């Protein structure tokens, strides 16, 4: 039978090449040679009798057969990883660990208070928090490296085999330092941001498609002075000391806006509204610790709801665009 010939290393190489989009990068991550990874992929394709991957100018891409196999390979590896971790936890006399993927939109707003709430429960649980781009976190969740991802809802094609629970919705904001020239500009138009450095979500980030569509709908197609970044620490420091505009999920800067450390331009960004919530594997039953952690996040989201709502600009002289 085919499944008896497929080994863990076959699946591991296939999943890592799919995640990295490159045999070379996958080999580095797996600490293998490139020929060794290529050999495992060839063996796997020979066993299945189909092509799973194709090389292109963009790197390595899944074939239709590869897309079908990906979901099942991910599930198999995740189940195996979960089983070995459960055995390891049992050997450690009850000490358990949950791994959480955190997107920037919640890292500074909802997570700190959620962790505080969870830890008051007294469970002997070690939290492992990982930040990164949405695509990477979802791939790690799919193969069992993460138990939960907290952040924006992923694109439909990335959600196969995953389950999403909505917490709240948030939109992007155009953030600036207090006393930025655009805050007092007469007849402010959104196109005026093109006269300043703009920090922009890079291609591949979860908010980039929302921002791209929104700016195009407002007639803004080109930003010549643009920095692509997902670093919230860089963004906050940069706009505090420069007349720059930062296009960012409001949750990242909500507390700074509420405290008056940063401000936001009077732009109606409802078109960029997106769901933020909890993503888990659909085939996995959450442990007690994970359920309690998810409950802590839900309770925190309720208490911080006001932070996610944009400031009402109607009282300002400048119009909402």
């Amino acid at each position: 039978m085919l499944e008896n010939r497929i080994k863990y290393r076959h699946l591991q190489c296939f999943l890592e090449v799919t995640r990295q989009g490159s045999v070379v990068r996958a080999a580095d991550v797996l600490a293998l040679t490139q020929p060794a990874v290529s050999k495992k992929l060839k063996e796997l394709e020979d066993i299945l009798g189909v092509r799973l991957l194709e090389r292109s100018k963009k790197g390595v891409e899944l074939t239709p057969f590869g897309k079908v196999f990906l979901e099942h390979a991910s599930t198999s590896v995740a189940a195996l990883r979960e089983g070995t971790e459960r055995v390891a936890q049992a050997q450690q006399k009850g000490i358990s660990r949950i791994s959480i993927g955190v997107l920037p939109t919640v890292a500074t707003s909802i997570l700190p208070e959620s962790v505080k709430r969870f830890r008051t429960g007294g469970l002997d649980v070690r939290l492992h928090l990982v930040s990164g781009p949405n695509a990477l976190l979802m791939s790690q969740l799919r193969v069992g490296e993460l138990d939960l991802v907290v952040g924006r809802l992923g694109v439909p094609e990335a959600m196969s085999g995953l389950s999403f629970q909505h917490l709240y919705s948030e939109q992007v904001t155009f953030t600036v330092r207090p006393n930025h020239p655009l805050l007092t500009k007469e007849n402010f138009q959104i196109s005026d941001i093109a006269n300043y450095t703009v920090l922009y979500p890079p291609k591949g980030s979860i908010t980039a498609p929302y921002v791209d569509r929104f700016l195009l709908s407002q007639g803004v197609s080109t930003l010549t002075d643009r920095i692509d970044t997902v670093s919230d620490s860089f963004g906050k420091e940069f706009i505090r000391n420069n007349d720059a505009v930062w296009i960012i999920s409001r949750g990242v800067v909500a507390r700074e806006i509420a405290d008056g450390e940063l401000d936001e331009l009077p732009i109606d960004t409802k078109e960029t509204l997106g769901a933020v919530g909890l993503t888990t594997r659909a085939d996995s039953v959450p442990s007690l610790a994970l359920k309690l952690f998810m409950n802590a996040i839900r309770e925190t989201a309720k208490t911080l709801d006001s932070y996610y709502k944009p400031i009402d600009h109607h009282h300002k002289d400048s119009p909402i665009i």
Side-chain angles (χ1 to χ4, degrees):
M1 298 177 69
L2 293 181
E3 61 268 25
N4 292 336
R5 298 168 56 196
I6 297 176
K7 308 300 182 184
Y8 177 76
R9 183 63 91 179
H10 290 134
L11 300 180
Q12 189 181 34
C13 289
F14 170 70
L15 291 172
E16 197 60 49
V17 170
T18 301
R19 180 189 304 175
Q20 300 294 335
S22 163
V23 173
V24 175
R25 289 196 294 271
D28 288 339
V29 171
L30 296 171
L32 297 172
T33 64
Q34 182 181 344
V37 174
S38 297
K39 179 182 178 182
K40 290 300 177 185
L41 292 176
K42 176 78 165 53
E43 290 176 354
L44 179 59
E45 290 179 327
D46 288 344
I47 292 170
L48 295 173
V50 296
R51 292 280 292 177
L52 298 174
L53 299 162
E54 293 286 359
R55 296 182 184 271
S56 70
K57 294 180 180 179
K58 297 180 180 179
V60 178
E61 297 183 340
L62 289 167
T63 66
F65 288 112
K67 292 177 181 178
V68 171
F69 187 69
L70 174 62
E71 180 178 346
H72 298 284
S74 300
T75 300
S76 299
V77 172
L80 180 59
R81 188 186 302 274
E82 184 175 355
T84 55
E85 288 182 353
R86 292 289 175 87
V87 171
Q89 289 171 8
Q91 292 175 326
Q92 293 172 11
K93 299 180 181 179
I95 298 176
S96 61
R97 164 175 140 158
I98 51 178
S99 298
I100 315 297
V102 184
L103 288 172
T105 186
V106 298
T108 57
S109 56
I110 193 172
L111 252 293
E113 180 62 26
S114 299
V115 170
K116 180 180 177 181
R117 285 172 179 264
F118 174 74
R119 288 173 63 84
T120 60
L123 287 181
D124 190 9
V125 176
R126 181 175 300 164
L127 293 177
H128 179 59
L129 304 179
V130 178
S131 61
N134 186 71
L136 174 61
L137 295 182
M138 290 302 179
S139 67
Q140 291 177 327
L141 173 65
R142 195 182 299 279
V143 299
E145 293 178 11
L146 296 175
D147 302 301
L148 170 71
V149 172
V150 189
R152 277 213 178 202
L153 174 64
V155 294
E157 54 267 29
M159 294 301 294
S160 177
L162 302 178
S163 175
F164 180 82
Q165 300 176 36
H166 181 269
L167 290 174
Y168 60 89
S169 296
E170 79 169 359
Q171 56 207 67
V172 302
T173 182
F174 288 63
T175 309
V176 294
R177 66 168 179 82
N179 303 315
H180 190 284
L182 288 180
L183 291 170
T184 55
K185 186 181 187 301
E186 293 186 8
N187 300 317
F188 168 71
Q189 301 292 323
I190 191 172
S191 57
D192 292 331
I193 69 171
N195 298 319
Y196 298 85
T197 301
V198 177
L199 305 189
Y200 201 93
K203 183 179 180 181
S205 66
I206 193 67
T207 56
Y210 294 89
V211 175
D212 291 342
R213 288 193 296 267
F214 175 70
L215 289 180
L216 286 174
S217 73
Q218 300 296 318
V220 181
S221 59
T222 303
L223 296 171
T224 55
D225 187 2
R226 167 175 155 177
I227 300 174
D228 292 355
T229 179
V230 293
S231 172
D232 58 313
S233 57
F234 169 78
K236 290 174 183 178
E237 187 63 24
F238 190 82
I239 64 170
R240 283 191 181 104
N241 299 288
N242 296 275
D243 284 338
V245 179
W246 188 15
I247 307 176
I248 188 68
S249 292
R250 199 174 190 280
V252 177
V253 291
R255 194 172 297 278
E256 286 80 5
I257 291 172
D259 292 342
E261 298 175 24
L262 300 176
D263 208 335
E264 52 190 337
L265 296 177
I267 300 173
D268 186 347
T269 59
K270 289 188 181 69
E271 291 180 34
T272 66
L273 202 65
V276 176
L278 309 173
T279 303
T280 56
R281 293 190 302 278
D283 63 341
S284 178
V285 178
S287 64
L288 173 61
L290 184 58
K291 288 180 179 178
L292 292 175
F293 187 76
M294 292 166 69
N295 286 339
I297 295 174
R298 293 188 189 99
E299 291 302 315
T300 303
K302 292 177 183 178
T303 62
L304 297 181
D305 182 60
S306 61
Y307 279 108
Y308 310 127
K309 296 178 180 177
I311 294 172
D312 183 359
H313 296 280
H314 287 289
H315 69 282
K316 295 191 175 183
D317 295 329
S318 299
I320 295 180
I321 304 304

